[in-house]
Amino acid sequence: MALVAALGAILNSPIPPVGIEILPGDPSAWLPECSNNRPFLFEERNLGIPLKAVCRAYLEASHIFSNARKAGLSSVETGDVSLANSTSVLLLANPAHQTALNTRKILVDSGFIDANVELDFTAALLSSHEASKHSTLWHHRRWLLRRSRRNYSENIDEGDDTLSGIALSVGDYRSELSIVSRACERYPRNYFAWNHRYTCVRSLVSSINRLRSNSSHSNLVEVLDEECSWITSWIERHISDYTAMQYACQLSQLLQETSHNDVSSHLTQSPSENVLHSFNFQTLRTHAESLLRAYPDHESLWLYLRSTFQYSGTSIERVEDGSIVRGLILFVRDLSNTAPKGSGQDTSLEDKCGIINLHACRFLSWLARRLNATVGALEGNGRAINCSVDVGILADSLLRTLSTAD
Amino acid sequence: MSASQLLIPLHVQYIKSLGENKDDLVYHLTAHLRMNAVYWGLTALCAMGHKDALDRDEMIEYVMSCWDEEAGGFGAHPDHDPHLLPTLSAIQILTIHDSQDKLNIPKVTKFILSLQQPSGVFAGDQWGEIDTRFLYSAVNALSLIGQLHLLDVEKTVGYIKKCKNFDGGFGAVAGAESHAAQVWVCTAALAILDRLDVIDQDTLAWWLAERQLPNGGFNGRPQKLEDVCYSYWVLSSLSILRKLSWIDSEKLIPFVLSAQDTENGGIADRPGDLADVFHTVFGIVGLSLLGYPGLVDIDPVYCMPADLVASKGLRKDWEALPRRNS
C-alpha cells in the first residue's frame, strides 16, 4: 500500500505533475537502485513510471478503493486521503475508470480537493497518449470549470455540458486550447479533444458578445483571432486531419452567425491586422483548393472542399452563379488530368493515381447529387462510388447537364 | 487454422475463456466495461448459435450483483457507479435470457427518464456527460422493457436533429464530426422511434458507403484506418436504411475473417492486432448481416437476436442480405 501512498502524494499535491509518462518494462531497467516504495522517476514535475510498477500500483489501489467504497460513501470524510490517493492511481493506469472520476468529483464538492488543483491533475493525465482519447476526462474538466468559475448567465443549460455563460478568463481559454492541441498531437484525430475545443470556442464567442465595452474584451478577441490563424496553420501541417477541417468550418459558421454583433464591430477598427476578419467560407474554400492542388490523394482535403460549400448561406444549391459550379468541375477535371500516371512499373504511383481518380469521382457525384443533376455515368445507386468511372467523362457530362439547365 | 472461414468453435472457446482469469490484471483493468463485455460475449454466442455456452444462472446473478437499488440503475461491476451504458447491457442480457422479471421496471424506468436533459439528449449518469450513445441506450432500454410511451419523443428526436451534419451523418453531440458509431446510435434510435424521416437517407448512405477502403474494411471517419468494429456500425446503419447492397460485401468478408486470431480465437480491430471481445462481437454480427453461412440473424436496430426482437413485437423495417447456404 506504500506505493499507492507515495504516488498519491505526488499526484494529489497542491502542485501536481505537469506531465505523466508510462515507461515500458520494469523499474530495474530505469532505476538500478530503486526502492520498492518509490519505483518511479519524478523530476521537474514530470512523473515517469515503469509499466510494471503501474500494474502493481493499480492492483493495490483497486483494493484500497473497493474497501473504502464498501465502507460507504457516507463515510467518505474519514477516508478522504485514501480515496484521493487510490483514485489518482486508478486513473493513472486506467483513465477510463469513471467511478474513480465520480469519487473525485465528490471530493471536490466536499472541498477536500481544490478544483484548480484537480484541473492541473487532469491536464497531466491528458498529456498521455492513452488518456487523452477518453471523453470522461474532458467532461471532468468542463465539470470542474463550471464548479469553480462564476456564472454570468442565469440561464445556463448545464444539461448540455456547455461552457457558455461561464466567466472563463483569457488564461482559462488559452490553457484549454493548448491542452487540446497537445492531446491532438499525441493522439491524432482525437474526437473528444476536438469536441472540447469547439465547446471552448463557442464559450469564447459568447463571452465576447457579452463583454462589449469591458476592458478584457479585446483580450478575448485576440484569443479568437489567434484561434483562426492557429487552425489554418494546423490544417497545413496535418493534411489528413479532416476533424480539424470540420472544426474550421464549424468555427467559420460560428463567426458567420455572430457577424452582426460585437465581434465584427471590434474588428472594423483594424481589419488588416487580424485573421479573424477574413476567416470565412470563401477563404476556407480557397485554402482547401490550394492544398488539394498540392495533395490531391488526400481524402480529407476533398471533404474539406465539400464542407466549405455546405454550411448555411453558402450551400451549393443556393449558388446562383453557375460559374462557381463550372469552375469547380473544371478544377476537379484538371486535378485528375495532372495526377501522376503510373508507368506500369511504379505501382505506388499507379495506386496514387487510382486514389485521386476515386476521390475526384466521388466529389463530382456528390456535386451532381447536390445539384439534382442526372448524369448518365452515375445512374443507379451508390455502388458507383466504389467503381472507377472516368473523371473526364463525368465532368463533361455534368457540364453539359448544367448548360441544358441554363 | 486458415482464416478463410469463420472459426466458430474457436471463438466460442475464446469467449468462454474470458471470464476465467478473475485474478489477472486485465480483468481488473477492464472492470469498468464488464457488463458491456458480458453483453458482447453473449450476443456473439447468440449470433454463432451457442447461446448456452456461458452459464445462464451465473450470468444473471452477476447482472443482479451490479444493480444499485438506491439509484435504480446498473453499474458495470459491483464496485462501480450506475450508468446508462451498463444499464442497457444489463437489460439486454436479462431480455435475451427471458429474465426481465428480475428487473424493478418502475425503478429502472425512473432512473433512465431522470437522465434526459431539457435539450432532449441523455446524460450517462448524474454527473452530466452527454452523448448520443446515451440517448440511444435510453431509447433502446425503454423500448425493451415496454416503457417507451413514457418518453418525450419530440424532445428526444429534436436533439438528434441538432446533431445532423451536412454530410448526412451524426456526431456525439451537436456540432461534432460525423462518426460511424454515432451514426448507428442515432439511426437506430430514430428507427425505434419510427422517425427515420429525420434522416437525409441518400446523403447518409453515400457517406457510409464512402467509408469502405480499397482493402475491403471500413473506417469510422474519413481518412482513418479500417477497423472491424466499423464494419458493423456502417452495415447496421445501411441495413436499417435498406441499402446494404451499396457496399462491396465480397471485399468486406475476407477483411473481417483476416482479423481472426486463428490460434486462440477472437477477432481484432485489424489483422495482426490483439483480439478482444468488442471486435469479436461486432465482427461476427457484421458477418451475420451480410448473410454469412451458419450464423443466426441479428437485429441491427437492437443488436440482439432478430427472432427475439420480433417475438417482442419490436421488429422494424430493416433488411439484411439473405443467408447463404455455404
Short mmCIF file of all heavy atoms in Angstrom, two decimals, chain A residues 113-133:
data_model
loop_
_atom_site.label_atom_id
_atom_site.label_comp_id
_atom_site.label_asym_id
_atom_site.label_seq_id
_atom_site.Cartn_x
_atom_site.Cartn_y
_atom_site.Cartn_z
N ILE A 113 -10.69 18.24 -2.27
CA ILE A 113 -9.79 18.50 -3.40
C ILE A 113 -10.14 19.88 -3.97
O ILE A 113 -11.31 20.19 -4.17
CB ILE A 113 -9.95 17.43 -4.50
CG1 ILE A 113 -9.49 16.06 -3.99
CG2 ILE A 113 -9.15 17.79 -5.75
CD1 ILE A 113 -9.63 14.94 -5.01
N ASP A 114 -9.13 20.69 -4.22
CA ASP A 114 -9.34 22.01 -4.81
C ASP A 114 -9.56 21.87 -6.32
O ASP A 114 -8.81 21.17 -7.01
CB ASP A 114 -8.10 22.88 -4.52
CG ASP A 114 -8.24 24.25 -5.15
OD1 ASP A 114 -8.88 25.10 -4.51
OD2 ASP A 114 -7.74 24.46 -6.28
N ALA A 115 -10.58 22.55 -6.82
CA ALA A 115 -10.93 22.38 -8.24
C ALA A 115 -9.78 22.77 -9.17
O ALA A 115 -9.57 22.14 -10.21
CB ALA A 115 -12.18 23.19 -8.56
N ASN A 116 -9.05 23.82 -8.82
CA ASN A 116 -7.94 24.24 -9.69
C ASN A 116 -6.80 23.23 -9.71
O ASN A 116 -6.17 23.00 -10.74
CB ASN A 116 -7.41 25.61 -9.25
CG ASN A 116 -8.35 26.70 -9.68
OD1 ASN A 116 -8.76 26.76 -10.83
ND2 ASN A 116 -8.76 27.54 -8.74
N VAL A 117 -6.57 22.61 -8.55
CA VAL A 117 -5.54 21.58 -8.49
C VAL A 117 -5.99 20.37 -9.31
O VAL A 117 -5.21 19.75 -10.04
CB VAL A 117 -5.26 21.17 -7.02
CG1 VAL A 117 -4.29 20.01 -6.96
CG2 VAL A 117 -4.73 22.36 -6.23
N GLU A 118 -7.28 20.08 -9.22
CA GLU A 118 -7.82 18.95 -9.99
C GLU A 118 -7.73 19.22 -11.50
O GLU A 118 -7.48 18.30 -12.29
CB GLU A 118 -9.27 18.69 -9.57
CG GLU A 118 -9.94 17.49 -10.22
CD GLU A 118 -9.38 16.13 -9.76
OE1 GLU A 118 -8.39 16.10 -9.00
OE2 GLU A 118 -9.94 15.10 -10.18
N LEU A 119 -7.89 20.49 -11.88
CA LEU A 119 -7.72 20.82 -13.31
C LEU A 119 -6.28 20.55 -13.73
O LEU A 119 -6.03 20.02 -14.82
CB LEU A 119 -8.08 22.29 -13.55
CG LEU A 119 -9.57 22.61 -13.66
CD1 LEU A 119 -9.82 24.11 -13.56
CD2 LEU A 119 -10.16 22.07 -14.98
N ASP A 120 -5.33 20.88 -12.86
CA ASP A 120 -3.92 20.60 -13.19
C ASP A 120 -3.66 19.09 -13.26
O ASP A 120 -2.93 18.62 -14.12
CB ASP A 120 -2.99 21.22 -12.13
CG ASP A 120 -2.96 22.74 -12.24
OD1 ASP A 120 -3.39 23.26 -13.28
OD2 ASP A 120 -2.52 23.39 -11.27
N PHE A 121 -4.28 18.37 -12.32
CA PHE A 121 -4.10 16.90 -12.31
C PHE A 121 -4.64 16.29 -13.61
O PHE A 121 -3.99 15.46 -14.25
CB PHE A 121 -4.78 16.30 -11.07
CG PHE A 121 -4.89 14.81 -11.10
CD1 PHE A 121 -3.76 14.00 -11.15
CD2 PHE A 121 -6.15 14.19 -11.06
CE1 PHE A 121 -3.87 12.61 -11.17
CE2 PHE A 121 -6.26 12.80 -11.08
CZ PHE A 121 -5.13 12.01 -11.15
N THR A 122 -5.84 16.71 -14.02
CA THR A 122 -6.39 16.12 -15.26
C THR A 122 -5.58 16.56 -16.47
O THR A 122 -5.43 15.81 -17.43
CB THR A 122 -7.87 16.46 -15.48
OG1 THR A 122 -8.06 17.85 -15.28
CG2 THR A 122 -8.78 15.70 -14.56
N ALA A 123 -5.04 17.78 -16.43
CA ALA A 123 -4.19 18.22 -17.55
C ALA A 123 -2.99 17.29 -17.66
O ALA A 123 -2.58 16.91 -18.77
CB ALA A 123 -3.73 19.66 -17.34
N ALA A 124 -2.42 16.90 -16.51
CA ALA A 124 -1.28 15.98 -16.53
C ALA A 124 -1.69 14.62 -17.09
O ALA A 124 -1.00 14.04 -17.93
CB ALA A 124 -0.70 15.83 -15.13
N LEU A 125 -2.86 14.13 -16.66
CA LEU A 125 -3.35 12.85 -17.19
C LEU A 125 -3.52 12.93 -18.71
O LEU A 125 -3.16 12.01 -19.44
CB LEU A 125 -4.70 12.48 -16.57
CG LEU A 125 -4.73 11.93 -15.15
CD1 LEU A 125 -6.18 11.67 -14.74
CD2 LEU A 125 -3.93 10.63 -15.03
N LEU A 126 -4.09 14.05 -19.16
CA LEU A 126 -4.38 14.19 -20.59
C LEU A 126 -3.11 14.34 -21.43
O LEU A 126 -3.18 14.34 -22.66
CB LEU A 126 -5.31 15.39 -20.82
CG LEU A 126 -6.75 15.17 -20.38
CD1 LEU A 126 -7.52 16.48 -20.32
CD2 LEU A 126 -7.46 14.20 -21.33
N SER A 127 -1.97 14.46 -20.75
CA SER A 127 -0.72 14.55 -21.52
C SER A 127 -0.30 13.18 -22.04
O SER A 127 0.60 13.08 -22.87
CB SER A 127 0.40 15.16 -20.66
OG SER A 127 0.80 14.23 -19.66
N SER A 128 -0.94 12.12 -21.56
CA SER A 128 -0.56 10.80 -22.05
C SER A 128 -1.42 10.38 -23.24
O SER A 128 -2.61 10.74 -23.32
CB SER A 128 -0.64 9.75 -20.93
OG SER A 128 -1.90 9.14 -20.92
N HIS A 129 -0.82 9.66 -24.14
CA HIS A 129 -1.48 9.22 -25.37
C HIS A 129 -2.79 8.49 -25.06
O HIS A 129 -3.85 8.80 -25.60
CB HIS A 129 -0.52 8.31 -26.13
CG HIS A 129 -1.13 7.56 -27.27
ND1 HIS A 129 -1.26 8.10 -28.52
CD2 HIS A 129 -1.66 6.31 -27.33
CE1 HIS A 129 -1.85 7.22 -29.31
NE2 HIS A 129 -2.10 6.13 -28.62
N GLU A 130 -2.70 7.52 -24.14
CA GLU A 130 -3.83 6.65 -23.86
C GLU A 130 -4.99 7.43 -23.22
O GLU A 130 -6.15 7.26 -23.58
CB GLU A 130 -3.35 5.51 -22.94
CG GLU A 130 -4.38 4.48 -22.54
CD GLU A 130 -5.17 3.90 -23.71
OE1 GLU A 130 -4.61 3.79 -24.81
OE2 GLU A 130 -6.35 3.57 -23.49
N ALA A 131 -4.64 8.31 -22.26
CA ALA A 131 -5.69 9.00 -21.51
C ALA A 131 -6.43 10.03 -22.36
O ALA A 131 -7.64 10.24 -22.17
CB ALA A 131 -5.08 9.69 -20.29
N SER A 132 -5.70 10.64 -23.32
CA SER A 132 -6.28 11.81 -23.97
C SER A 132 -7.49 11.50 -24.84
O SER A 132 -8.20 12.39 -25.26
CB SER A 132 -5.20 12.50 -24.81
OG SER A 132 -4.84 11.69 -25.89
N LYS A 133 -7.72 10.22 -25.14
CA LYS A 133 -8.86 9.90 -26.01
C LYS A 133 -10.17 9.69 -25.26
O LYS A 133 -11.21 9.50 -25.87
CB LYS A 133 -8.54 8.67 -26.86
CG LYS A 133 -8.49 7.39 -26.05
CD LYS A 133 -8.40 6.17 -26.94
CE LYS A 133 -8.37 4.92 -26.12
NZ LYS A 133 -8.18 3.70 -26.88
#
